[in-house]
Amino acid sequence: MLVLSYLLRRLLYLFPILIGVNLITFLLFFLVNPPQDQARQALGGRNVRPEQIAAWMRERGYDRPRFWNAKEAGLKKATETIFFEKNARLFLLDFGRSDVDAHPVRTELVRRIGPSLMVTLPAMALGLLLHLALALAFARFKGARAERGIDAALVALMSISGLFYIIGIQALLGKGWMWIPVSGWADGLDAWRFVIGPVLISLVAGTGASVRFYRALFEEELGRDYVRTARAKGLPESRVLSLHVLRSSLVPIATAVVAGLPFLVMGSLLLESFFAIPGLGNYTLDALNQKDFAIVRAMVFFGSLLTILGLLLTDFAYLLVDPRIRLGGKKAGRLLPVWLFVVGATLVLAIVGHLSDPAIRAVQAAAPLAAAAPATPALWPGNLGAALALAALILLPLLLMRTLEGQRLKATLASSRLAQGCLAVVLFFIAIAWLDSVRWREIVKDSAGKVVLDPRTAEPARAQQATSLLDAGLLSAWRLAGAPVAKIADLSEKTYSAPFAKTLFVNTTDPSTGERRKETLKHPGRHPMGTDKAGSDVFLRAVKGVRTAVLIGILTTLLALPFALLLGVAAGWYGGWVDDLVQYLYTLISAIPGVLLVMAFVLLFGQGLWQICVVLGLTGWTDLCRLMRGETLKLRELPFIASARALGARDARILRCHVIPNLTYLVLVNLALAFSALVLAEATLSYLGIGVDPGTGSWGVMINDARLELSRDPVVAWPLLAAFASMFALLLPANLLADQIRGALDPKSGSKP
Amino acid sequence: MASLPASPFRFCFTLLAFALLASCELSRPHPVAEAGKPVFYTSFFQLPKHFDIARAYSSDEYQVLALVIEPPVEFHYLKRPFELSPLAARELPTFAYYDAAGRPLPGDPPADLVARAVLRVRLKTNLFYGEHPAFVRTADGRARFASLSDRDLDGAKRPLDLPAAATRPAVAADFVYQWKRLAHPLFESPLASTLADVVEGFTACREVIQAAVDGERARRKTQGGALYDRAKDEREHPLLIDLEKIPFSGVRVLSEFEFEIVLVKKYPQLLQWMTLPFFGPVPAEVERFYAQGALSRKDISLDRWPVGTGPYRLVRAERNRQIAMEKNAHYVHGTYPTEGAPGDRGAGLLADAGKALPFIDRVVLCYEKESLPRWNKFLQGWYDASGITEDSFDAVIKPGRGKPELGGEPAAKGMSLLLEPDSSVHYWSFNMRDPVVGGLDEKRKKLRRAIAIAFDVEEYLQIFLNGRGVPAMSPLVPGVPGYEEGDVNPMVYRPGPKGAQRRSLDEAKALLAEAGYPGGVGPEGPLVLSFDGANAGQTGFQSEMNWMTKQMAKLGIQLRFRNTTYRQFREKMEKGTSQFFSWGWNADYPDAENLFFLLYGPNAMAGGGGENAANYESAAFDRGFEKMRVMTDGPERRAVIADLVRIAWEDGPWIWGFHPVTYALVQPWLSNIKPASFINSGRKYQRLEPALREAKRHEWNRPALWPLLLGLAALLGGGLWVWRRRRADAAWRAKGNARA
């Protein structure tokens, strides 16, 4: 009975989240991208006339009003609307039909869950076994000489984009050794041969992150008293690990596993695409490519539904594994404020929706559309970003130094060569990013070297492309090396050339003789990492990618940090309805599949570095916020806070002087971890076609292009290696540094201050 | 320690299992049951949207539909230039022309005299549909599956899962029925607007159908009451208008196997259009069959399961996974052509002359999005035909002079290379309404000409297409009557003894100076042009951007990229606010009209939504086009075409771009292959030797065993090392104990 009432309360609490998801999808798909535009996108290329757009909308029921149909009578005023027809029906698990071919989404969903699960389930089960075993082994050898090496290898595994694993393993096992079919699928159990490759890739790709996660859990347990007792009693280490440590770590392991369940069903976009697996991931990707918004909408909702089910399951998993957790109490949250919030939001949305078109046009006009981009000013707006980043970098350590953690950190840095080295490398990258952010537009000179004046202003005319300090520096370096280049653009060749090569890598046809041969380079031997397809220097591209990576890493975290800190601390400290609302918000945002959210955002506001930072920042605060809330809850009950209160300190002072400083170490550790995740995320987004705009240097774009280059024969590997090496050079020290910081700051780790 | 070795052992075990199974073709992606049978495998990577022939209008759809549906005419498989030949029709239909008074006009009269054109189509009498349950009748002659319930369809996923199927011959009424479907407003046929202009009574028919639809919907609404849900109702009880009763004055049945089409003006291109599946037959009972709620709920519809008289019938239609076709058991009328182009006999293309088609039993198309696995599977022999990706080009095509020659792995495996000129033109275009680059005055013409010279299309082809393309001289694609091989655009090329050479950069610079932009600097400062596009997310687009920037920089012109979402890009194009962009067109049929209309003024994209993306408008060109459009091919028409090309060269609204050439690779076990861009039904002529294929596949797919042995050795070595360590450990401990 208790279980039942608990379940009911949880459901009542989770239901508003579904409504929230529904409202957000409605907002994105119907207010911001009106059906007319969807029709235009869907009908696409040839012979599209206004009547056809009207017919398209009529047939799919998009010609109705959005929220309120004044023309109808009675209940139909509300039901004969897009909102009711397209969104409210989702609650009845009526996923509607595809916009493109009118096939029911539910049929496909049912058909495709199987193949997705056939890949993800074994991948998860085997992954759990393998990774736990490796983590146990790793924990067993703690302190051994190999430890650092293994750790670096794990970090390396983590720093590699999933695309490498897919392309590499598929080529090796499928093409090279012919152990598995390159791609494809079969019905029924016959599918097992097609599953091997994807499962193996999942296992390898997940090794780095999972093993390190499990090892961290084990290490925490290993530091506890009961382990010492067990050891003292002479229990062999293997039994200590398998009997005690593993069992005690089950709670967080179960949480992680259960939280991952929804992703099992949704499939993997990349894997399914490369292996031609007819699962849900492939389905979603096709829908995205085809602009089939009905499917995308349904998948967003379905994904959120699964996430919420996952949350419920997590609760039950806790119940099962940890007897200390009891049902009932405040855990389910108070329902009233959440419901009030939902009703309010719906009303606001309804009003906006009713005003609709003019409002949408206003929003779209305000959005930074590139449709009529104004001329760029002489100094680049990126300078502002550079200044901000720099200011943050100076301020952060200053703030840190005031805390106890800052002192411990300083001590760690002073004593550890590794930490110093890592910090230096990270700072070096930040410096490159900063150099590349200070930009200006060069004065245009004609072929005679004379300055060109702009007749309208009588001032020297400026180039369209901005030049950065970094460009100028690199140019001088090349000149010193003896390359006759006047500007960066002169450095390029016709097309691919290998590192330090003297000729082009591919045959080109000489137009005058008709002969196919390898041409000599303009700058033979001066491209340390070769050149790419359009002949641009790869080293230059790799260096230009640093800014994008660092900015995405730092700016996004800086954007997410205030949200996470403010909301998390407020929720933990004040509790009550504040807590309820904050919990609601972060559950809501984390319930929507991230990729789809980014996609919608990019569709709206265009593609660019800033847009990516903003959307990742807006969605990325939830994990940290959850953590902050939990820590604040714990801190609130500690004696020193009670003493402060007894001394008459106000809330603001306690928060500023006692609570927030005590959260610093968590923030720091998280920042470092989030940083690598973000740099990798950029690569994946580029694969999906929603990364930074193509004019911006980016490792993600390089990796994405490399997908084609790897299939070249002979293989063009250097752009990929350059991107990988740069990424690794940044992420390895960043991760190691994060480890060091954690070691220094975590009160439980017990290292000396 | 106990848990440690478990996972390596398990891993090792899996490896061992692999090895055992590897010897029996672990890498085979197709069902073993189909080995040794004439089953053709290929892949597709763009999803077909519709199989309803009133809607389908893309090559991904046509590679299926062209094998299932037979329109009245087709292009001859072997003859070049393309020649129409009858398919469903008994002989090639010809137009009869009448003047305003109804008097017949002999021969090929001028268009302004023609008030009516009549096309009579006499059909073959032995066209049989692929077996389908819609044709099954009960003893009393009624359709057997006319009222299916959900229970009847238990476990059925396709119409063919019903317990019986039958066939019947196609009659003229079926063709006329499809014409009415083309006019049906709910089917949104992409051809409707074109046909409405030329076919008598098309619009009227459309309106009658619309009225019938509206009437039926209104009736259902009143009947359904306040809670009527149209979408749901139409899903449960699909809307079916009895088209047989709808009059269509322009298309009429004359006899069981004859019908006529009446046009209100001269429009000879209609015959070429009639090679497309749009004009195939649809039996009324098939549409009635699909209009049952039980089928609609199961997502079984005409849009997924087309029915036709072609050599194949669709047996599997998972459009995002696999599409499969099987021989139509009742297909009797098709035979392999007995004559071809010069050289075809020598190439063995006439070995099967006169034999009954088709030669392949089953055609399977697998959905494969990524090019890498697609290519690898072709090399392993799992796909029977493939294009060459740009990326594998260098390994496959030998360096050297002259005609491209196959090398590398494909050559060693005995595959052959076929070159197939595409029926498309890709170009960069200026918006002719733009104040800077548009307009027909001399200065702007010079500006565009200068840019066209600087844009080194030959280099573009080298870098981005490995030279697999022909620089375009005009919109005309190779193979279209009026396209002259060796014709050169004198504005951009200078004819010379060794062939035409692109004009020099100095000439371009001089032109630019004359246009008022010496050194790329004009009265308003340095010239900055904008490239409009929606390619931001496209893989490899960055390289293309860099290349374009370089071309413009040769003249001192700066290029800016205005990358937007597709929607915003379309909006710009439709408002005419773009400046410079790239575009492409794939010809529907080999006729100059289908290409020159890309430059026809009234067809402008800005404002009108036509296909003239450049918004080019020249009175002289428009006059010539209107004249050419209705002429029959002949020297007179060729002269008009040459004039049109000259006008277009002079005005230069495009940088003429290129025509891609497809390099197709064919496995050694395939024969009767002749590439043709306008023919989608080539598969029905092709022949496959399954025994040779099986042998080759075995030879090419021997799994590697050495990694396995290596792995085992490493494992053994590791085990030995651990064992020795432990022994040493124990010994050391024993020694310590002893000392203690």
Side-chain angles (χ1 to χ4, degrees):
Chain A
M1 202 52 220
L2 198 61
V3 174
L4 209 67
S5 86
Y6 173 75
L7 186 68
L8 204 71
R9 281 175 65 87
R10 269 319 267 177
L11 275 179
L12 271 178
Y13 183 73
L14 291 172
F15 199 60
I17 291 169
L18 267 190
I19 298 183
V21 170
N22 207 303
L23 287 179
I24 289 178
T25 45
F26 182 75
L27 188 79
L28 288 177
F29 287 104
F30 289 111
L31 291 186
V32 173
N33 194 30
Q36 290 90 324
D37 295 341
Q38 296 180 25
R40 207 181 298 267
Q41 282 166 319
L43 289 169
R46 303 169 87 165
N47 293 341
V48 182
R49 288 168 196 284
E51 315 92 74
Q52 269 176 289
I53 291 185
W56 189 93
M57 282 168 50
R58 200 169 49 241
E59 279 321 299
R60 288 158 185 80
Y62 291 140
D63 56 342
R64 282 174 269 206
R66 294 194 175 81
F67 262 106
W68 192 251
N69 196 341
K71 275 189 244 151
E72 299 285 335
L75 199 58
K76 279 192 164 181
K77 278 187 194 293
T79 58
E80 279 288 304
T81 57
I82 291 183
F83 180 74
F84 186 82
E85 271 303 310
K86 301 292 171 191
N87 268 54
R89 278 177 180 279
L90 291 174
F91 284 109
L92 306 171
L93 295 189
D94 176 358
F95 292 113
R97 294 183 167 231
S98 148
D99 278 345
V100 172
D101 58 11
H103 295 163
V105 175
R106 190 162 45 182
T107 320
E108 286 287 311
L109 218 73
V110 171
R111 188 177 296 165
R112 286 167 169 275
I113 280 182
S116 281
L117 283 179
M118 280 181 78
V119 174
T120 49
L121 268 183
M124 188 200 69
L126 290 176
L128 195 64
L129 287 174
L130 179 72
H131 298 152
L132 275 179
L134 286 178
L136 278 175
F138 195 13
R140 168 88 172 74
F141 291 118
K142 185 161 169 56
R145 239 180 309 160
E147 193 199 3
R148 192 142 282 166
I150 296 177
D151 200 35
L154 288 177
V155 172
L157 282 177
M158 266 171 80
S159 315
I160 298 174
S161 155
L163 274 174
F164 292 105
Y165 292 117
I166 297 180
I167 295 178
I169 294 186
Q170 189 182 47
L172 192 68
L173 295 189
K175 188 182 181 221
W177 297 349
M178 286 174 259
W179 287 3
I180 56 168
V182 173
S183 68
W185 195 251
D187 289 312
L189 284 178
D190 215 23
W192 71 272
R193 289 182 299 139
F194 300 92
V195 167
I196 297 170
V199 167
L200 215 64
I201 289 170
S202 308
L203 288 185
V204 178
T207 299
S210 300
V211 173
R212 292 191 87 224
F213 172 67
Y214 294 143
R215 186 194 57 143
L217 293 179
F218 293 154
E219 271 185 5
E220 192 171 329
E221 288 299 321
L222 279 172
R224 289 185 196 273
D225 291 341
Y226 73 90
V227 173
R228 198 180 312 145
T229 317
R231 278 185 185 146
K233 282 169 70 182
L235 209 61
E237 191 66 13
S238 54
R239 297 207 60 189
V240 171
L241 282 171
S242 58
L243 251 175
H244 295 285
V245 172
L246 182 62
R247 210 181 269 178
S248 319
S249 314
L250 272 183
V251 176
I253 291 176
T255 318
V257 168
V258 173
L261 285 179
F263 298 101
L264 295 183
V265 180
M266 295 300 278
S268 152
L269 297 183
L270 299 189
L271 268 180
E272 290 189 4
S273 175
F274 267 87
F275 282 90
I277 295 166
L280 285 175
N282 229 339
Y283 187 54
T284 316
L285 198 59
D286 286 344
L288 286 174
N289 289 337
Q290 289 200 346
K291 312 268 184 273
D292 195 330
F293 294 104
I295 295 180
V296 178
R297 227 160 41 221
M299 294 311 286
V300 169
F301 187 78
F302 186 58
S304 318
L305 194 70
L306 289 173
T307 314
I308 286 167
L309 285 179
L311 287 177
L312 264 184
L313 280 176
T314 320
D315 288 345
F316 279 98
Y318 272 138
L319 278 180
L320 288 180
V321 224
D322 193 342
R324 286 168 299 185
I325 296 167
R326 270 173 304 151
L327 293 172
K330 211 186 144 303
K331 187 115 210 312
R334 278 189 306 186
L335 301 172
L336 193 64
V338 168
W339 277 101
L340 279 179
F341 183 78
V342 167
V343 170
T346 316
L347 279 179
V348 169
L349 206 65
I351 292 165
V352 174
H354 198 60
L355 297 173
S356 63
D357 287 330
I360 296 160
R361 295 294 159 203
V363 170
Q364 283 188 343
L369 303 182
T376 335
L379 268 175
W380 200 254
N383 290 334
L384 184 70
L388 271 178
L390 195 69
L393 283 179
I394 296 170
L395 277 178
L396 218 63
L398 281 183
L399 278 176
L400 260 180
M401 286 311 145
R402 293 186 50 195
T403 63
L404 182 64
E405 279 74 20
Q407 303 297 323
R408 288 172 69 142
L409 203 60
K410 218 164 107 187
T412 313
L413 277 178
S415 65
S416 159
R417 278 261 182 82
L418 184 69
Q420 286 166 8
C422 290
L423 187 67
V425 175
V426 172
L427 286 179
F428 174 68
F429 272 93
I430 292 174
I432 291 181
W434 186 77
L435 284 176
D436 199 19
S437 288
V438 180
R439 296 176 173 201
W440 65 91
R441 290 167 57 202
E442 293 246 42
I443 290 169
V444 180
K445 290 182 185 159
D446 62 12
S447 44
K450 227 171 67 198
V451 172
V452 175
L453 292 184
D454 191 326
R456 286 165 304 180
T457 56
E459 279 173 18
R462 292 190 177 268
Q464 192 58 35
Q465 285 280 322
T467 311
S468 69
L469 268 178
L470 182 74
D471 295 333
L474 285 172
L475 191 63
S476 324
W478 252 291
R479 287 219 194 104
L480 277 180
V485 281
K487 49 183 193 287
I488 282 283
D490 294 345
L491 204 69
S492 64
E493 305 291 343
K494 200 166 173 182
T495 181
Y496 289 118
S497 71
F500 295 113
K502 300 259 190 287
T503 62
L504 284 184
F505 185 68
V506 293
N507 295 303
T508 51
T509 313
D510 188 327
S512 53
T513 62
E515 190 183 0
R516 280 179 65 75
R517 59 182 172 79
K518 292 191 165 70
E519 236 173 85
T520 320
L521 294 188
K522 275 188 275 180
H523 309 285
R526 292 212 175 85
H527 301 289
M529 289 180 178
T531 55
D532 69 0
K533 190 166 188 170
S536 309
D537 187 83
V538 172
F539 175 68
L540 189 71
R541 275 187 81 179
V543 174
K544 295 291 271 185
V546 171
R547 174 171 172 267
T548 307
V550 169
L551 276 190
I552 284 194
I554 292 181
L555 273 185
T556 310
T557 343
L558 284 183
L559 267 172
L561 195 61
F563 281 104
L565 203 62
L566 281 180
L567 293 178
V569 170
W573 182 256
Y574 292 107
W577 64 268
V578 180
D579 190 19
D580 290 331
L581 277 192
V582 169
Q583 278 197 63
Y584 174 71
L585 274 182
Y586 69 61
T587 321
L588 176 63
I589 290 189
S590 51
I592 301 177
V595 171
L596 299 179
L597 208 60
V598 177
M599 199 88 164
F601 194 85
V602 166
L603 212 65
L604 284 182
F605 295 100
Q607 215 161 5
L609 182 56
W610 298 99
Q611 285 92 324
I612 296 273
C613 285
V614 168
V615 67
L616 288 179
L618 284 182
T619 54
W621 56 271
T622 52
D623 285 340
L624 191 57
C625 181
R626 199 185 310 244
L627 210 69
M628 296 286 105
R629 177 183 163 271
E631 276 308 297
T632 314
L633 268 177
K634 270 191 230 159
L635 284 175
R636 195 173 64 168
E637 308 301 331
L638 290 184
F640 73 96
I641 299 281
S643 326
R645 227 186 246 144
L647 284 170
R650 296 216 179 117
D651 275 3
R653 193 182 157 75
I654 300 179
L655 285 178
R656 203 182 67 229
C657 300
H658 298 289
V659 178
I660 293 182
N662 271 296
L663 295 173
T664 327
Y665 93 92
L666 266 179
V667 172
L668 268 182
V669 170
N670 253 281
L671 287 193
L673 286 179
F675 180 77
S676 359
L678 287 168
V679 172
L680 286 173
E682 195 259 330
T684 312
L685 290 181
S686 286
Y687 168 78
L688 296 172
I690 47 175
V692 296
D693 64 301
T696 315
S698 133
W699 298 334
V701 172
M702 288 174 79
I703 291 171
N704 190 23
D705 288 354
R707 189 159 56 103
L708 300 179
E709 283 155 1
L710 278 190
S711 60
R712 281 189 85 98
D713 195 3
V715 172
V716 171
W718 52 90
L720 181 73
L721 287 179
F724 172 57
S726 327
M727 209 168 191
F728 189 57
L730 174 59
L731 292 191
L732 183 68
N735 271 309
L736 290 179
L737 191 62
D739 263 11
Q740 297 283 319
I741 296 175
R742 192 196 346 234
L745 296 188
D746 189 350
K748 278 171 278 181
S749 71
S751 61
K752 294 184 295 285
Chain B
M1 208 62 204
S3 67
L4 176 62
S7 70
F9 272 135
R10 193 170 301 129
F11 183 64
C12 180
F13 236 85
T14 326
L15 278 185
L16 206 70
F18 270 29
L20 286 174
L21 285 152
S23 48
C24 49
E25 278 195 337
L26 206 54
S27 65
R28 176 188 284 275
H30 308 309
V32 183
E34 285 180 356
K37 294 196 181 133
V39 179
F40 186 94
Y41 289 99
T42 187
S43 59
F44 64 103
F45 59 97
Q46 261 165 354
L47 296 178
K49 290 180 186 167
H50 301 290
F51 283 145
D52 181 343
I53 55 174
R55 302 179 182 212
Y57 191 32
S58 77
S59 52
D60 329 305
E61 293 152 357
Y62 282 1
Q63 63 169 330
V64 173
L65 287 176
L67 296 177
V68 176
I69 305 290
E70 287 184 319
V73 287
E74 66 175 346
F75 286 110
H76 194 281
Y77 184 52
L78 299 175
K79 286 183 188 167
R80 298 291 179 276
F82 291 101
E83 202 174 276
L84 285 171
S85 66
L87 180 60
R90 209 177 304 172
E91 68 274 312
L92 204 60
T94 46
F95 282 99
Y97 295 107
Y98 301 91
D99 67 5
R103 279 175 307 228
L105 297 165
D108 183 31
D112 44 353
L113 289 183
V114 176
R116 240 166 85 88
V118 178
L119 189 72
R120 255 180 206 208
V121 183
R122 289 208 303 153
L123 296 170
K124 289 177 184 163
T125 53
N126 56 351
L127 305 168
F128 289 95
Y129 288 105
E131 283 192 3
H132 193 273
F135 298 121
V136 181
R137 305 208 163 256
T138 54
D140 53 351
R142 283 176 305 130
R144 180 174 155 194
F145 299 114
S147 46
L148 290 167
S149 67
D150 288 335
R151 271 193 54 195
D152 295 333
L153 286 171
D154 250 2
K157 283 183 179 161
R158 5 169 251 169
L160 307 177
D161 291 334
L162 284 166
T167 181
R168 76 158 170 83
V171 292
D174 301 341
F175 287 84
V176 175
Y177 189 87
Q178 166 63 8
W179 268 90
K180 292 177 184 168
R181 294 182 80 245
L182 291 175
H184 200 309
L186 293 195
F187 292 143
E188 301 162 7
S189 177
L191 226 55
S193 54
T194 312
L195 295 177
D197 286 343
V198 293
V199 180
E200 186 186 297
F202 192 88
T203 317
C205 176
R206 192 180 175 83
E207 280 160 9
V208 176
I209 300 174
Q210 182 69 59
V213 169
D214 293 344
E216 172 67 12
R217 281 189 172 160
R219 192 186 64 78
R220 288 187 181 191
K221 200 170 173 181
T222 13
Q223 217 171 46
L227 284 173
Y228 178 71
D229 176 350
R230 197 185 82 190
K232 191 173 167 221
D233 179 51
E234 286 180 12
R235 202 148 57 231
E236 301 282 306
H237 311 282
L239 210 56
L240 178 71
I241 304 300
D242 189 355
L243 293 180
E244 283 174 300
K245 292 212 182 92
I246 303 274
F248 189 168
S249 59
V251 186
R252 282 186 312 237
V253 177
L254 298 176
S255 69
E256 193 179 3
F257 294 107
E258 193 171 10
F259 69 100
E260 68 172 14
I261 303 154
V262 183
L263 307 186
V264 293
K265 56 176 150 185
K266 198 173 170 188
Y267 187 62
Q269 286 80 20
L270 181 68
L271 257 186
Q272 317 234 18
W273 276 118
M274 280 168 69
T275 58
L276 299 182
F278 286 116
F279 298 92
V282 170
E285 63 259 51
V286 167
E287 186 144 66
R288 273 199 296 273
F289 169 81
Y290 283 122
Q292 303 183 60
L295 287 168
S296 168
R297 278 189 292 278
K298 284 227 148 190
D299 195 26
I300 297 174
S301 67
L302 190 55
D303 199 23
R304 273 188 89 171
W305 298 98
V307 180
T309 60
Y312 293 94
R313 65 168 187 165
L314 201 61
V315 292
R316 183 167 186 172
E318 286 171 62
R319 56 173 210 117
N320 36 23
R321 190 177 152 194
Q322 200 180 75
I323 295 167
M325 286 168 282
E326 240 169 44
K327 231 180 194 173
N328 170 3
H330 303 277
Y331 182 82
V332 287
H333 71 94
T335 52
Y336 195 86
T338 48
E339 47 187 307
D344 281 353
R345 193 169 298 277
L349 280 170
L350 283 168
D352 281 322
K355 287 190 188 153
L357 299 177
F359 304 118
I360 291 168
D361 284 356
R362 195 179 157 90
V363 178
V364 179
L365 297 110
C366 307
Y367 182 45
E368 193 98 53
K369 237 182 313 193
E370 293 291 337
S371 60
L372 190 53
R374 208 160 53 222
W375 173 245
N376 285 338
K377 273 158 96 174
F378 171 75
L379 285 183
Q380 292 179 341
W382 302 117
Y383 286 137
D384 295 318
S386 164
I388 299 181
T389 56
E390 176 216 322
D391 308 295
S392 33
F393 193 83
D394 241 35
V396 169
I397 304 295
K398 283 190 204 160
R401 276 163 213 257
K403 246 185 103 179
E405 235 181 286
L406 202 60
E409 193 180 337
K413 287 185 169 176
M415 300 169 183
S416 47
L417 175 72
L418 291 174
L419 268 57
E420 172 185 349
D422 248 14
S423 56
S424 63
V425 55
H426 291 246
Y427 56 94
W428 292 270
S429 176
F430 302 97
N431 175 15
M432 293 297 278
R433 297 194 187 167
D434 183 82
V436 179
V437 297
L440 292 177
D441 55 307
E442 222 30 61
K443 280 194 161 178
R444 307 262 164 65
K445 279 188 198 171
K446 282 182 175 158
L447 169 63
R448 290 196 295 269
R449 204 173 298 159
I451 296 175
I453 295 173
F455 250 64
D456 194 343
V457 176
E458 287 77 16
E459 188 187 276
Y460 181 92
L461 290 172
Q462 290 295 331
I463 295 181
F464 295 98
L465 290 166
N466 318 100
R468 286 173 303 165
V470 192
M473 294 300 156
S474 72
L476 293 182
V477 302
V480 165
Y483 175 89
E484 302 291 339
E485 191 101 23
D487 229 5
V488 203
N489 177 0
M491 300 294 163
V492 179
Y493 295 88
R494 182 185 291 286
K498 277 202 273 171
Q501 293 286 318
R502 181 168 286 274
R503 287 176 181 268
S504 70
L505 215 50
D506 293 331
E507 269 179 86
K509 282 178 182 162
L511 280 169
L512 193 66
E514 286 169 38
Y517 298 97
V521 184
E524 312 235 293
L527 181 56
V528 180
L529 296 183
S530 301
F531 181 88
D532 295 285
N535 323 53
Q538 200 179 306
T539 306
F541 184 66
Q542 195 166 35
S543 311
E544 226 161 299
M545 266 172 60
N546 290 343
W547 183 82
M548 282 193 271
T549 313
K550 269 202 240 171
Q551 306 308 305
M552 290 285 193
K554 287 185 203 164
L555 298 176
I557 301 173
Q558 300 175 46
L559 190 62
R560 170 169 67 174
F561 288 86
R562 293 193 295 204
N563 254 315
T564 53
T565 61
Y566 183 71
R567 169 171 62 87
Q568 291 160 338
F569 175 59
R570 272 317 280 212
E571 226 167 73
K572 269 193 279 183
M573 295 302 292
E574 275 160 29
K575 283 189 190 151
T577 54
S578 61
Q579 188 169 47
F580 180 59
F581 52 88
S582 64
W583 206 263
W585 179 257
N586 194 8
D588 294 300
Y589 45 82
D591 190 88
E593 179 257 0
N594 195 251
L595 292 153
F596 276 138
F597 89 124
L598 300 174
L599 292 172
Y600 180 48
N603 199 21
M605 186 169 284
E611 289 299 336
N612 177 357
N615 302 315
Y616 171 65
E617 202 165 353
S618 144
F621 187 92
D622 291 353
R623 260 197 314 278
F625 176 76
E626 280 157 19
K627 192 167 152 201
M628 180 275 297
R629 165 158 75 171
V630 290
M631 291 168 86
T632 333
D633 187 34
E636 276 174 58
R637 192 173 193 244
R638 302 269 167 113
V640 180
I641 290 177
D643 273 344
L644 287 174
V645 170
R646 257 194 299 283
I647 298 172
W649 280 345
E650 173 67 28
D651 291 342
W654 297 358
I655 292 175
W656 297 98
F658 56 93
H659 311 295
V661 174
T662 305
Y663 280 49
L665 280 185
V666 180
Q667 301 281 17
W669 49 81
L670 270 190
S671 53
N672 292 349
I673 292 189
K674 178 151 181 171
S677 46
F678 292 102
I679 299 175
N680 298 303
S681 60
R683 211 68 75 210
K684 71 180 176 188
Y685 301 103
Q686 292 167 5
R687 188 183 271 287
L688 192 152
E689 289 165 61
L692 177 64
R693 177 167 71 180
E694 259 334 278
K696 290 280 182 196
R697 281 178 177 175
H698 264 290
E699 184 188 323
W700 296 345
N701 290 290
R702 295 214 183 99
L705 282 176
W706 63 264
L708 205 69
L709 299 176
L710 210 69
L712 276 177
L715 216 71
L716 270 174
L720 202 71
W721 180 77
V722 168
W723 179 72
R724 285 188 53 180
R725 272 284 304 255
R726 290 192 110 187
R727 234 178 48 159
D729 241 23
W732 184 79
R733 238 179 250 144
K735 226 156 110 188
N737 284 347
R739 203 175 295 154

